[in-house]
Amino acid sequence: MYLESDVDTASLVEQQVTILGYGSQGRAHALNLRDSGFNVVVGLRRGGASWSKAEADGLVVKEPQAAVEGAAIVAFLTPDMVQKQLYAAVIEHIAQGAALLFAHGFAIHFKQIEPRADLDVVLIAPKGPGGLVRRQYEEGHGVPCLVEIGR
């Protein structure tokens, strides 16, 4: 079992983390990462319902293709059924050697998305809805997660 104390975040301090989607998990992850000192960009459809919410929360918001440019980590925190289409729309803009993060990873598991060979893949399944993830963070705690990392 890994704990927060087991993680060295120094290599990500100067890097961009892009969160695609701003629903339950996307909002929680974006705010938690931002509040932990990371450079967070949120990728959303311009004019979508979440755009103004993310801006009101003080986050940098861009359209998905622009949001992924230069990101070390691109987190797909959208509903599973749109991830394949979203991946196709942004893949040309994702830097070589970046990491893709999926919560829960059904699109990867069921091979709807087959990532480029140069990309690392992280599957993470928080054991709680985004609101709980955020509240626990604000209280100085976390929620258990299942994690898989691969290439």
Side-chain angles (χ1 to χ4, degrees), residues 45-106:
R45 288 185 322 264
R46 183 172 299 280
S50 298
W51 187 287
S52 59
K53 187 175 186 177
E55 283 185 328
D57 284 339
L59 293 159
V60 174
V61 185
K62 299 180 180 181
E63 292 187 42
Q65 291 86 349
V68 302
E69 290 180 358
I73 298 174
V74 177
F76 286 76
L77 300 176
T78 58
D80 294 310
M81 68 283 272
V82 301
Q83 289 181 359
K84 179 179 179 179
Q85 180 182 356
L86 181 58
Y87 177 81
V90 300
I91 188 56
E92 292 180 20
H93 303 274
I94 296 175
Q96 286 220 281
L100 305 179
L101 182 146
F102 295 86
H104 292 81
F106 293 123

Side-chain angles (χ1 to χ4, degrees), residues 33-47:
L33 286 163
R34 189 241 1 237
D35 292 352
S36 293
F38 293 98
N39 173 22
V40 176
V41 174
V42 177
L44 298 169
R45 288 185 322 264
R46 183 172 299 280

Side-chain angles (χ1 to χ4, degrees), residues 5 10 27 39 49 53 70 84 105 118 121 125 134 144:
S5 59
R27 182 172 188 266
N39 173 22
K53 187 175 186 177
K84 179 179 179 179
D118 65 288
V121 177
R134 180 66 179 156

